[in-house]
């Protein structure tokens, strides 16, 4: 296979402390060698081994591609009016999901896939090289299955979220909907998914329902993750730790017991500041979690209702400005943290053996992601060793 040396990197973030300075393993005046789809060497430019080809980074910073471990990209329709009303004073609740459910059910497979590809291309231009996405806007056996089938053509990180809200078709019989989610719908969806998720929240599913849904998914070979403690205090976080969920997502309203549970287990706290930005809600306290020793990830929660952004850099800026994270912590959470939330070791880092996913920044340092919010700093993206944007 051809080897390519990327040279003249102003500052390289490897996320491997053995390779460079600090927790981010930073190397100044660096180079990296790619062979096939893998990183095979990283270090100072002066020590770079001979390769078949060279690519000049022109002094730019290079970071691992972002790992967006929480998104909802198989949908149709638009919720501009809802957002406008919310910004005019109406509070957010889970009920707005029904609007997207109606539009998604009415859309063709081709329309859903075209919309998915549009948002994936948008995210890629901003440095996202790995993404997870969910079903949850169909809420029938047919519509949940097709959402996952469409998503699986574009990512390995596919999540069955039939338990997003109780389907409008069974609004008066939530128990019957839970039976459907854990029965016929699960049977149809499990072959297309790696993960199972549930929105454990007032207005969606309570703790007992969430436990039943996640346990049924585990019995089918799906790995659990959970929407937890977004709108209020509740059982979601501790249920996630109990079931060894890879990630508890949102984590906005936490008791001391919730923080202790996360710190004692392997469940990642995935924070989604785009949702708080778009709903004017309380920010998650990332500083509290980090100081307690909890592993934190940052993701976009890209969805048409409560967080319609595909920009991880934007979420990094929010996390630094409003959630108590340092620029280093926020970048780690959006790369290596996201990888841990997906229980992956091949992404989120730029050290030998990792997949060669790189984002070049038109800046001397990754700190500019928070220092210059809203500026499109990602100037080049490589995924699996190929230049893709």
């Amino acid at each position: 296979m051809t080897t390519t040396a990327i040279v003249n990197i102003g500052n390289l973030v490897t996320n491997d402390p053995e390779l460079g300075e600090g927790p981010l393993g930073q190397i100044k005046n660096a180079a990296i060698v790619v062979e096939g789809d893998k990183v095979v060497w990283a270090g100072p430019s002066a020590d770079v081994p001979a390769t078949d080809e060279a690519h000049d980074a022109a002094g730019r910073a290079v970071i691992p591609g972002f790992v967006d471990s929480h998104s909802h990209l198989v949908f149709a329709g638009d919720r501009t009016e809802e957002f406008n009303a919310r910004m005019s004073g109406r509070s957010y609740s889970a009920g707005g999901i029904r609007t997207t459910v109606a539009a998604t059910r009415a859309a063709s497979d081709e329309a859903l896939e075209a919309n998915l590809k549009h948002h994936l291309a948008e995210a890629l231009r901003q440095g996202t090289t790995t993404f997870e996405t969910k079903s949850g806007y169909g809420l029938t056996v047919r519509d949940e299955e097709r959402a996952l089938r469409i998503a699986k053509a574009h990512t390995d990180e596919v999540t069955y979220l039939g338990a997003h809200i109780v389907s409008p078709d069974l609004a008066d019989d939530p128990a019957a909907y839970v039976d459907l989610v854990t029965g016929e719908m699960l049977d149809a969806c499990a072959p297309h998914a790696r993960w199972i998720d549930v929105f454990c929240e007032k207005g969606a599913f309570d703790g007992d329902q969430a436990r039943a849904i996640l346990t049924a998914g585990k019995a089918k070979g799906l790995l659990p993750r959970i929407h937890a403690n977004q709108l209020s205090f509740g059982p979601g976080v501790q249920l996630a730790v109990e079931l060894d969920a890879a990630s508890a997502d949102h984590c906005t309203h936490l008791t001391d017991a919730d923080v202790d549970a996360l710190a004692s287990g392997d469940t990642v706290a995935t924070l989604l500041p785009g949702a708080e930005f778009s709903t004017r809600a309380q920010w998650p306290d990332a500083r509290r979690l980090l100081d307690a020793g909890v592993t934190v990830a940052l993701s976009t929660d890209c969805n048409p209702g409560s967080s319609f952004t595909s920009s991880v850099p934007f979420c990094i800026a929010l996390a630094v400005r409003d959630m108590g994270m340092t620029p280093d912590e926020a970048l780690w959470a959006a790369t290596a943290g996201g990888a841990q939330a997906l229980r992956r070791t091949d992404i989120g880092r730029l050290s030998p053996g990792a997949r060669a996913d790189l984002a070049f920044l038109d800046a001397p340092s990754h700190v500019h992601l928070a220092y210059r919010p809203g500026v499109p700093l990602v100037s080049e993206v490589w995924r699996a060793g190929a230049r893709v944007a």
Side-chain angles (χ1 to χ4, degrees):
M1 287 185 287
T2 300
T3 55
T4 301
I6 301 169
V7 298
N8 196 18
I9 298 170
N11 189 70
L12 173 66
V13 172
T14 67
N15 280 341
D16 185 340
E18 294 186 3
L19 290 179
E21 181 183 348
L24 296 184
Q26 297 182 71
I27 307 170
K28 296 188 183 301
N29 301 315
I32 192 167
V33 177
V34 174
E35 182 175 12
D37 63 352
K38 295 287 192 296
V39 174
V40 295
W41 184 89
S45 273
D47 300 333
V48 64
T51 57
D52 300 313
E53 298 176 354
H55 183 78
D56 188 355
R60 292 173 291 176
V62 173
I63 62 175
F66 298 123
V67 180
D68 192 350
S69 61
H70 183 125
S71 73
H72 304 250
L73 297 181
V74 185
F75 69 89
D78 180 88
R79 284 158 66 181
T80 301
E81 291 183 6
E82 175 190 324
F83 177 80
N84 191 35
R86 193 161 63 239
M87 294 300 102
S88 302
R90 194 174 79 192
S91 63
Y92 173 68
S93 69
I97 293 167
R98 294 182 181 86
T99 303
T100 302
V101 169
T104 302
R105 288 180 178 182
S108 66
D109 288 13
E110 293 75 17
L112 291 176
E113 184 164 33
N115 193 51
L116 170 65
K117 291 169 69 176
H118 169 80
H119 288 102
L120 292 183
E122 183 180 88
L124 182 66
R125 291 193 299 271
Q126 298 173 90
T128 297
T129 51
T130 301
F131 75 98
E132 176 271 0
T133 201
K134 311 175 193 295
S135 64
Y137 291 127
L139 310 185
T140 67
V141 174
R142 170 187 175 272
D143 288 303
E144 288 296 294
E145 186 275 339
R146 72 173 179 142
L148 296 171
R149 176 168 36 83
I150 290 167
K152 191 177 181 181
H154 299 278
T155 181
D156 294 330
E157 304 299 344
V158 179
T159 300
Y160 166 47
L161 183 60
H164 202 178
I165 58 168
V166 175
S167 170
D169 310 318
L170 291 168
D172 296 329
D173 194 354
Y177 187 64
V178 171
D179 288 343
L180 180 65
V181 168
T182 58
E184 181 185 357
M185 188 183 287
L186 175 60
D187 290 341
C189 290
H192 305 297
R194 182 184 181 207
W195 305 96
I196 185 167
D197 197 347
V198 59
F199 190 9
C200 184
E201 187 60 71
K202 292 176 182 177
F205 298 89
D206 64 26
D208 290 339
Q209 292 169 326
R211 179 181 286 102
I213 289 163
L214 295 177
T215 301
K218 289 181 72 173
K220 281 284 188 181
L222 301 182
L223 304 174
R225 49 201 321 111
I226 186 168
H227 285 60
N229 301 55
Q230 177 187 5
L231 306 178
S232 60
F233 294 98
V237 162
Q238 296 199 45
L239 178 61
V241 176
E242 173 194 328
L243 296 179
D244 190 31
S247 181
D249 297 18
H250 289 289
C251 294
T252 306
H253 299 275
L254 301 179
T255 64
D256 289 345
D258 293 331
V259 176
D260 289 345
L262 288 166
S264 66
D266 295 325
T267 299
V268 174
T270 299
L271 308 184
L272 308 165
E276 280 70 40
F277 177 87
S278 296
T279 61
R280 287 181 174 159
Q282 173 184 323
W283 297 102
D285 189 346
R287 185 79 268 137
R288 179 188 182 196
L289 290 164
L290 290 165
D291 288 348
V294 177
T295 300
V296 171
L298 277 178
S299 292
T300 63
D301 191 19
C302 187
N303 75 81
S306 62
S307 183
F308 203 9
T309 180
S310 59
S311 175
V312 174
F314 174 66
C315 293
I316 287 174
L318 292 179
V320 172
R321 168 62 178 80
D322 291 304
M323 289 162 48
M325 300 184 86
T326 67
D328 285 10
E329 289 168 339
L331 177 64
W332 190 95
T335 52
Q340 288 200 29
L342 296 175
R343 295 197 166 161
R344 297 273 296 271
T345 60
D346 61 324
I347 56 176
R349 61 185 176 91
L350 291 176
S351 53
R355 197 172 77 182
D357 295 347
L358 305 87
F360 294 66
L361 305 181
D362 189 15
S365 164
H366 65 279
V367 177
H368 281 233
L369 293 167
Y371 180 42
R372 304 194 69 207
V375 177
L377 295 177
V378 176
S379 57
E380 186 175 337
V381 181
W382 291 40
R383 184 169 57 193
R387 187 172 184 266
V388 292

